[in-house]
Amino acid sequence: MPAGAQEGSPRMLSVVGHGQAEAATTLAQISLTISDKGNSAQDTYDQLEKRSSAVVKRLQSANVESLKTSNISLNIGSSRDGKPQKDDYDGYQTIAFRVSTSGIGVLDDAIAANIDRINSIQYVAPETAMTAARKIALEKAIADAQAQAEVALDKLGFSVQEIVDVRINDAQIQAAKNNPAPQDDSYSSSWSNNLPVLALGEQTVDVQVTLEIRY
């Protein structure tokens, strides 16, 4: 740029601030599987629907949250020569829901309703706690960016004149840890009474803010 144009251009500083906050994981997000066999696609599907309805009814009576059924799949069997066995179907359906960690004993009801597998138990924070943590992380990120700018400019003999632009990145949320279920089917109807739930920790929310500052 010509010298005159450079002199007329405002001096700008771009600075990135980071902030983190934690939200307590007080919910258990649980995934279950129901499986069945049949001699036709329709028969297998009907059996799955009947069994899943019984499980859902039990869970609904326990007032679990975010209850949904998904991932229905039908697999056709094959003979020794690799050809499809048109009278041999395996069906699977996944049921997912959330419940407070203190109410994890609801799995006893699901087991009594004849589920086939507990896929995973994942500890998560409620939406309200995550929203509050994001707000705190954002405040920390802004303060961090402002502090960095003030230190740098003061060291160079300048001062902040105006913040002309603010960019906020989407919050990064630390994934909750999965606790896989046992791989055998010897579930006890009172298993949850013998399973201690220890301190479950927190989910971390990380926010990044970029400030464009005129000085």
Side-chain angles (χ1 to χ4, degrees):
M1 295 177 63
Q6 290 180 353
E7 292 174 1
S9 300
R11 294 190 298 259
M12 301 296 297
L13 172 67
S14 179
V15 60
V16 178
H18 296 271
Q20 286 188 344
E22 286 73 37
T25 53
T26 58
L27 294 177
Q29 183 169 298
I30 299 171
S31 173
L32 312 173
T33 290
I34 295 170
S35 62
D36 218 319
K37 298 179 68 69
N39 54 20
S40 70
Q42 186 64 56
D43 178 52
T44 308
Y45 181 86
D46 289 344
Q47 291 183 65
L48 278 177
E49 185 177 35
K50 182 178 179 180
R51 290 184 57 195
S52 65
S53 294
V55 175
V56 167
K57 186 176 180 180
R58 288 236 186 181
L59 294 174
Q60 286 175 331
S61 66
N63 296 318
V64 302
E65 302 176 12
S66 305
L67 178 62
K68 61 181 180 180
T69 61
S70 59
N71 299 331
I72 299 175
S73 63
L74 296 176
N75 300 325
I76 189 169
S78 57
S79 59
R80 292 182 179 179
D81 58 5
K83 294 182 179 180
Q85 292 280 74
K86 296 183 179 180
D87 59 349
D88 182 14
Y89 284 82
D90 292 310
Y92 303 88
Q93 182 169 8
T94 301
I95 296 176
F97 62 93
R98 287 185 175 187
V99 67
S100 67
T101 53
S102 61
I104 201 170
V106 71
L107 285 175
D108 287 333
D109 293 332
I111 293 169
N114 202 21
I115 64 167
D116 292 287
R117 184 170 298 281
I118 302 171
N119 301 320
S120 64
I121 301 174
Q122 185 182 50
Y123 299 120
V124 297
E127 290 298 326
T128 52
M130 294 299 290
T131 299
R134 186 183 186 280
K135 180 180 178 181
I136 293 171
L138 177 57
E139 292 172 350
K140 289 181 177 180
I142 293 172
D144 179 45
Q146 289 178 313
Q148 290 184 66
E150 290 171 0
V151 170
L153 293 176
D154 181 66
K155 188 70 175 179
L156 296 170
F158 297 105
S159 61
V160 174
Q161 299 298 316
E162 182 184 13
I163 297 175
V164 298
D165 189 36
V166 180
R167 296 192 300 275
I168 302 173
N169 287 8
D170 290 338
Q172 301 297 313
I173 301 173
Q174 180 179 318
K177 294 181 179 180
N178 282 322
N179 292 316
Q183 294 303 305
D184 63 281
D185 296 322
S186 58
Y187 300 120
S188 165
S189 63
S190 60
W191 74 274
S192 60
N193 294 329
N194 300 316
L195 178 66
V197 179
L198 306 178
L200 303 178
E202 298 168 324
Q203 281 186 277
T204 300
V205 180
D206 193 321
V207 175
Q208 179 177 296
V209 171
T210 303
L211 300 183
E212 297 291 339
I213 299 172
R214 183 171 62 84
Y215 64 94

